[in-house]
Structures are given as structure tokens and as C-alpha cells.
Amino acid sequence: MTTATTVPTGRTGDGMPAMISYLTRVLKTPTIGAFWEELAAQARQENWSHEEYLAALLQRQVADRESKGTVMRIRTAHFPTVTTLEDFNLDHLPSLRRDVLAHLATSTYIAKAENVVLFGPSGVGKTNLAIGLGVKATQAGYSVLFDTASNWITRLGDAHHAGRLEAELKKIRRYKLIIIDEVGYIPFDQDAANLFFQLIASRYEQGSVMVTSNLPFGRWGETFSDDVVAAAMIDRLVHRAEVLTLAGDSYRTRQRRELLAKDSRPNHN
């Protein structure tokens, strides 16, 4: 037996706004409730068809919902700062292939559980580039989680000591993309290396990993105190991955040079 929902009735004057207000609350479409009158006036003025008016309303609702979803995904990603690819200055990175970056910006690699590795010396913008790609992923509807390599190890170590490592890895697998920043800056002992390997292994062909590192793969054995573990980790990372090496001036070094050059200019005042 089905029951019909009773809605307010009335003439198009006073009754229709009350009916639409009620229906948009029931359907949880507040944007339609807020903009239907404005768009109706525009539709009458521009002689829209019923279908065009409906499409415009639905587009406004979907755009608003997607925008709020993106804001929430950016918030839960825990980026240290929010920078976009559009903010990133590519002029100092002539070695970075623009076609590869454009492909990564589409975030289609995430649906395939593929990985991204960004190599380069300190200061070339690896972290900002990773954040920019992470923001693109959130805009495409993917859940993202960002942290430094040392913080990932701390998180996994705490879970391991509490006897809930598997539960923590399962929780992390819910994120479609995880970003591991600054691999190689701090060396890890063998226990930490094993935890890191479990993180990478748990993502293998299940979810995407993005890694930034100042060290080439050949030196990861130094960071993880174990060449065998490092090799096994690298094997899983690069099986289906885009590996980019960034070469160029350090942001900080360049900014320092520009400041020094500015300060050395003669003052004609």
C-alpha cells in the first residue's frame, strides 16, 4: 500500500510559491527553492521553453551541490595550503612536459588506480604541484588525503601500536588518492619502512598514490634502511605510474635573488 504526499494547493498567485517551497524542502533542493522565481522571470522574458527552464533550474542546483562537495573534499584532504595549477608558475620548469601535466589535471588516472611520482630538488615546487593536482582531483569528485611521509609513518605507527593497523589501512583505502609528500627528507628505520611498504601495498591497483621526493629511486634504500623493501615498494609504485622529474630553479633561491637585485638598485629619490 502506498501513501501519497499531500502538498499545499492554490492558485498561481499565493499558492504556487508555497507549494514550490514545500516541495524543494522535501526534495532537499534548496538552490531550486532559492532561484526558481528569478529564473522563471528570465524564462518569461527570453521565451524559454518549459524544458529549457527546467534544465536551467537543475543545472543551478547541480552546480551548487558540486561546488559545496568540492569545498568539503578540499577541507577533508588536509592540504597545508590550497594552491591550484593555475597559480603554479611553469616558466621555471622547462623540463616539465605540458601534455603530461594536462593529462594529470584531468584526474582520469585516479579511476584506473594509477600513481604519480614527482622527483626534483628542494624548492622547485613539487609540493605545490602535488597540491594543485590534488585540488583538481577534488574538483573531479575524488576524495583525497594529503600528508608528509613522516606524518604518514606516525599515523601508521600509532595504529600499529594500538593493534588497529589493518583497520587504519582500510580507512585510508576509502580515499581515491593519497598524497605522500617529502619522501627522502627524513630517513626511516626498518619498522617504519615496513609500515610504509604496507601502505603502498594496500593501495596497489586499489587506489592512487602521489609521491614527491628529492631522491631518485636508486637512493630510496638509504631512506628506508632496506634495499629489498625499497625495491618492492618502488615496483608497486611504478607498475602503473607517471614519473615526472622536475628540474629548475628553486622558488626560494629565485625569490632571494630577485629581492637582492631589487635592494641593489640605486635609489633616485
Side-chain angles (χ1 to χ4, degrees):
M1 180 179 176
T2 58
T3 58
T5 302
T6 303
V7 299
T9 59
R11 294 191 305 271
T12 303
D14 298 329
M16 190 59 71
M19 179 187 291
I20 294 176
S21 177
Y22 172 80
L23 292 173
T24 55
R25 288 198 306 272
V26 172
L27 292 173
K28 295 182 172 60
T29 52
T31 304
I32 291 178
F35 289 99
W36 72 268
E37 286 185 286
E38 175 186 323
L39 287 175
Q42 184 177 353
R44 282 189 289 269
Q45 183 178 356
E46 299 179 10
N47 295 316
W48 292 357
S49 67
H50 297 307
E51 293 83 1
E52 288 172 329
Y53 172 58
L54 175 61
L57 267 181
L58 294 176
Q59 285 173 348
R60 183 71 67 93
Q61 178 66 58
V62 169
D64 187 56
R65 188 167 292 176
E66 287 181 346
S67 175
K68 290 177 179 176
T70 297
V71 170
M72 180 59 68
R73 286 188 292 273
I74 288 175
R75 186 177 301 134
T76 58
H78 299 300
F79 296 121
T81 183
V82 178
T83 56
T84 67
L85 287 183
E86 290 73 22
D87 297 329
F88 194 81
N89 183 4
L90 298 172
D91 293 341
H92 76 294
L93 294 175
S95 64
L96 179 59
R97 287 180 53 187
R98 305 307 195 259
D99 59 331
V100 175
L101 183 60
H103 164 67
L104 294 177
T106 66
S107 302
T108 52
Y109 66 94
I110 299 175
K112 304 173 186 176
E114 295 175 347
N115 303 321
V116 179
V117 182
L118 303 175
F119 286 125
S122 177
V124 296
K126 299 183 300 296
T127 298
N128 283 339
L129 189 57
I131 292 172
L133 289 171
V135 169
K136 285 291 186 185
T138 64
Q139 292 170 342
Y142 293 109
S143 53
V144 179
L145 189 59
F146 177 104
D147 218 332
T148 62
S150 59
N151 284 345
W152 278 110
I153 292 298
T154 299
R155 176 177 183 154
L156 296 174
D158 291 344
H160 176 65
H161 293 309
R164 52 179 181 81
L165 179 60
E166 286 303 318
E168 186 66 20
L169 290 172
K170 183 178 180 180
K171 179 180 177 182
I172 294 169
R173 276 198 297 273
R174 295 175 187 155
Y175 291 89
K176 297 300 182 180
L177 170 68
I178 66 169
I179 301 176
I180 306 172
D181 194 31
E182 299 181 346
V183 172
Y185 287 85
I186 300 174
F188 299 118
D189 59 26
Q190 195 163 25
D191 289 340
N194 287 329
L195 288 172
F196 202 88
F197 171 77
Q198 290 188 63
L199 174 62
I200 299 300
S202 72
R203 305 283 301 177
Y204 183 58
E205 296 189 330
Q206 301 295 316
S208 294
V209 180
M210 185 178 297
V211 174
T212 75
S213 179
N214 65 322
L215 296 179
F217 282 136
R219 295 185 59 189
W220 276 29
E222 303 170 20
T223 294
F224 294 103
S225 307
D226 190 317
D227 289 334
V228 175
V229 171
M233 195 183 311
I234 293 166
D235 183 60
R236 285 161 176 77
L237 268 178
V238 301
H239 177 216
R240 298 169 63 184
E242 197 71 62
V243 180
L244 302 179
T245 299
L246 310 182
D249 287 341
S250 163
Y251 271 126
R252 290 177 285 275
T253 300
R254 190 173 68 257
Q255 287 174 347
R256 179 62 177 164
R257 283 201 306 265
E258 291 171 355
L259 285 173
L260 289 173
K262 183 178 179 180
D263 291 342
S264 64
R265 291 171 189 162
N267 189 340
H268 297 292
N269 293 334

